Amino acid sequence: MAKRVLMRGNEVIAEAAIRAGCQCYFAYPITPQAELLEHMARNMPRLGRTFVQAESEVAAISMVHGASAAGVRTMTSSSSPGISLKMEGISYLAGSSLPAVIVNVVRGGPGLGNIAPAQCDYFQATKGGGHGDYHMIVLAPSTVPEAGELTMLAFELADRYRTPVMILADGMLGQMMEPVLLPDPVDPAALPAKPWAATGAKGREPNIILSFDLDPEGLRRMNLELQARYRTIREKEVRHEETETEDAEIVIAAHGTVARIAKSVVRMARAEGIRLGLFRPITVWPFPYEPLRALSSRVETVLTVEMSAGQMWEDVRLAVAERAKTPFYGELGGVVPTPKGILREVKRHVG
Amino acid sequence: MSVSVERMVKVFERPRSLTGAHSTYCPGCHHGILTRIIGQTIDDLGIVERTVGIAPVGCAVFAYRWYRCDALQVAHGRASAVATGVKRARPDLVVFAYQGDGDFASIGTAESIHAANRGENITVIFVNNQVYGMTGGEMAPTTLVGQKTTTTPDGRDPALFGYPIRFSEMIAQLEAPVYVTRQALFDTKRIQETTKAIRKAFTNQVERKGYSLVEVLATCPTNWHMKPVEANRHVAEVVTKVFPLGDLVNRG
């Protein structure tokens, strides 16, 4: 019988990856995601799976490239500065149509920044980051149990759409412990076949996996195929959550850790008679523009709250346009907004 | 005198592991000879159905076209790391990375050294022609002192740009590699020696012995501004003085 266990976010993501059938994991140590790497180091070898501590983030994502091309489920994880280094490889994965899961336990930036939780890599995650016209599916968990669930989903979506998928967490989610009901392991035999993979050209034509075509017409076709896939993802995979929005006059738009804090703020505000709701994107790419657009015509104000200078705010304003007011409240440098601080901002925009 | 076609015996043909796709290499360049040697080796070992080739960035960027095996084209310098990923995922595959001097010994320095240091059971072919051929003849990490390239128009000055790097000697300092050798292709004897070396480097992998590196000194008549025969002589008389031929490690 399944029971709840108390686990740290980083370990839950690692354990969920194992249960999702991740066969090969490659990474380089960095705070605040080291426990993820260490959980994999302890557990992958005893399961007969691959753990390699790579010489760099660049090497780690390139190893992911190789393992994914060979047709197995594979993952790497890091935190902000390390994710910048992985951008080369992520672009190659996208260009080569290779599935992979990349975890970013975001910390304060830019540069070396610090090791406190932040959401300042939103642009990098959702708008490209690496070179070329590509997107990743980006999943933003708000609690430790959800980090595990979304990790399972990330592997599924990566395989379904042959695309890199990012888990956009933060230092708070990575370090915090919560009771978790771990997901059931997937049956490896039930995973989708990968006839495109480099597994040896026995009884078939060789499979060539590349992100390269010198002929502009050829590369155009390759890009159009990618864009068609992104359209399908936008149609089918948008996920979001609304809390107390039915009668709301003002809603907070927030993702991840901030959305979790904002849930408390909704209760606090409601106790004071303020009709506050919460709109939480779960996929930050594709961003839930349509549901937010629909909601914005029913409310006065959409207050975006982030641990950044206003990155998701741009997507919120694209969705809301002139239908409601769109103020912003952000904390920078690894400072986590408090429920009281957010409530104070809410009050500035009501009545 | 007439000879019956039926009685003729074919004594030389394209290796079955090669596709016959038109080469993109320049006339007189050694990549073609090396490609043939690798194809013949894959034939001889009977491994084409379980071989995966890793093509680099550089003149060999199209290497995935030449072989009848699965192949990847990957980021500049990362071929040894990608080969690591393929091999760890599927140890029964035979994985070879084909990398130039810029790819292997400059931008891929970390990936190259650490794949060797982990003793990955892969085969790396490292083509050293002392120049960036694909981009127009710029300085490579292996460019000789005094050698003129488009980015060392007055010749490589060690005071500004350092010395040609003997990368295989660096790899040879590591504990893990089982075979590290430097070969050349400027005459038939060297071609035979290189053939033996490539065969050994693949055989080591098939026998699960570990990491093998074959550095091959190659010509670039186009960017050296030499005729092919002259380029061959240059390798024999000048390049081998800086990059001596022979085995550096042989623990097989």
Side-chain angles (χ1 to χ4, degrees), chain A residues 16-100:
Chain A
I18 289 172
R19 289 165 184 244
C22 177
Q23 286 295 324
C24 293
Y25 170 85
F26 311 95
Y28 184 87
I30 183 169
T31 310
Q33 67 84 56
E35 299 82 4
L36 205 168
L37 175 86
E38 289 161 8
H39 186 92
M40 292 307 239
R42 281 194 302 274
N43 291 285
M44 292 291 271
R46 73 177 175 79
L47 295 166
R49 305 188 195 179
T50 295
F51 166 87
V52 178
Q53 180 172 330
E55 59 271 27
S56 72
E57 308 288 3
V58 177
I61 193 76
S62 297
M63 291 172 192
V64 164
H65 184 148
S68 175
V72 305
R73 285 191 162 179
T74 179
M75 182 171 96
T76 185
S77 62
S78 188
S79 179
S80 308
I83 295 292
S84 291
L85 288 173
K86 290 191 197 295
M87 281 297 148
E88 172 192 85
I90 292 173
S91 171
Y92 276 76
L93 288 168
S96 302
S97 289
L98 287 172

Side-chain angles (χ1 to χ4, degrees), chain B residues 36-101:
Chain B
R36 192 190 192 288
I37 293 171
I38 294 168
Q40 189 65 56
T41 303
I42 294 172
D43 275 12
D44 292 348
L45 298 178
I47 53 173
V48 71
E49 291 182 335
R50 60 188 184 105
T51 295
V52 174
I54 315 287
V57 168
C59 289
V61 69
F62 290 114
Y64 59 87
R65 289 182 179 174
W66 319 141
Y67 306 95
R68 283 189 204 282
C69 64
D70 286 355
L72 280 59
Q73 195 293 313
V74 306
H76 197 24
R78 317 297 173 224
S80 290
V82 177
T84 298
V86 175
K87 187 71 182 183
R88 294 288 186 119
R90 295 194 187 273
D92 290 338
L93 294 175
V94 177
V95 184
F96 75 97
Y98 188 100
Q99 304 184 251
D101 39 41

Side-chain angles (χ1 to χ4, degrees), chain A residues 172-192:
Chain A
M172 179 86 88
L173 278 167
Q175 295 298 317
M176 188 166 50
M177 293 181 97
E178 279 191 82
V180 177
L181 195 61
L182 287 166
D184 291 332
V186 300
D187 174 9
L191 293 180

